[in-house]
Structures are given as C-alpha cells and as structure tokens.
Amino acid sequence: GTMKRFGVKQIIPLCGILFSLTFIYVGLTKLGFWESQGPLPGFFPVIMSTVFFFVSILALLQSFKEKSWNFPKEDLLIIVAVAVAILAHFVIGLVASMLLFVALWLRFVEKTPWLTIVKILVIIAAIVLGVFQFWLKVQFPLGILGDMIVGLL
C-alpha cells in the first residue's frame, strides 16, 4: 500500500488533540483537579478533555484508513458555526456564545420551534450556571463585553 496523503482529514483530529491537551494542562496546572474535600474547578474540564483526546486519537488513526474523502457542504456549516462561536466567546463570553450557538443551530439547522429552544436553553443555562459556576466555582470567560460590564459594577 502507498502512504496516504496528509490533509484536512488529519488536521481536524490533530486540532482536537492540541485543544484537549491544552485544556488538560490548564485544568491540572491552573484550576486544580482534586483535593481531600472533593473535585476542584479543573475536574470536569480534565475528564472531558481526556475523553476528547482519546476520541481525537482514534479519529486521526481512522482518517488514514479511509479510501476517499468527499466533503459535503453541510459539514462546512458545522466548521463555520463552531469557528464563529469560538470567536464570539471573546466578545460575549463562553456561556453566552454557546447558548447562542445552540439556539441558532436548533432553529436554522434542526428547524426546532422557538418555544422548545427557549425551554432547552433554560435547562442548559441552569445546569451550566448551577453546577459549574456556583457549585464547582468554574470561572467562565466573560468576553470583552462581560469584562466591561463587570468593570462598571
């Protein structure tokens, strides 16, 4: 067999590997993982990033086995949407950008009714803020606008 060409198929899992390793490092060194009292703010990010790391490794290995790779235009939408959400988090904060991402995705891709979307967002916000912000004391990035608002208070 000939060596498979290196391309986009490999870049996406490699980005996943780098992304997960970054969060594992930050979780362990900056946020803390575990104390005798229980989990620290880095606990869930480290666990989720470790799972993401192994999934990315498997995706990378699988990418070399696939014969041909066609890239449907619908898949480009996912990449653009995630990129916009990542950029938006710098402006409006992580929680707000993720809620906006979920709302827009449900509405325009999944064609979900607005009332259902509002119910889903309330549940997600309650879980994220209740479990992570208040219970585990995870400090989510507030973005430029959030930092400005906090600065005014």
Side-chain angles (χ1 to χ4, degrees):
T2 57
M3 175 72 177
K4 296 283 188 281
R5 204 166 72 80
F6 189 85
V8 178
K9 280 193 296 188
Q10 288 77 36
I11 292 172
I12 294 171
L14 283 173
C15 288
I17 290 167
L18 290 173
F19 188 75
S20 61
L21 287 174
T22 303
F23 272 84
I24 290 168
Y25 174 78
V26 170
L28 292 175
T29 62
K30 304 270 189 282
L31 302 174
F33 185 74
W34 193 274
E35 272 184 353
S36 57
Q37 295 84 17
L40 293 170
F43 181 75
F44 279 108
V46 169
I47 298 291
M48 298 311 291
S49 297
T50 302
V51 171
F52 187 50
F53 173 77
F54 287 110
V55 169
S56 297
I57 293 281
L58 290 173
L60 180 64
L61 295 173
Q62 187 64 35
S63 72
F64 289 107
K65 291 183 177 148
E66 295 167 8
K67 293 284 181 267
S68 65
W69 194 59
N70 48 345
F71 198 75
K73 287 183 184 69
E74 297 80 31
D75 290 358
L76 187 62
L77 177 64
I78 296 168
I79 294 168
V80 169
V82 169
V84 168
I86 290 169
L87 292 173
H89 113 270
F90 290 109
V91 179
I92 61 174
L94 184 64
V95 176
S97 70
M98 291 301 113
L99 290 174
L100 187 63
F101 174 84
V102 170
L104 295 174
W105 190 267
L106 287 173
R107 183 65 193 143
F108 298 108
V109 177
E110 303 293 335
K111 309 289 189 240
T112 307
W114 283 113
L115 183 60
T116 306
I117 293 170
V118 169
K119 291 176 187 173
I120 291 169
L121 293 181
V122 167
I123 293 167
I124 292 172
I127 292 169
V128 167
L129 296 174
V131 172
F132 294 100
Q133 189 90 39
F134 298 114
W135 182 42
L136 292 172
K137 304 282 188 255
V138 173
Q139 293 299 309
F140 292 107
L142 296 175
I144 296 165
L145 291 177
D147 289 341
M148 286 168 56
I149 292 167
V150 169
L152 295 173
L153 299 177

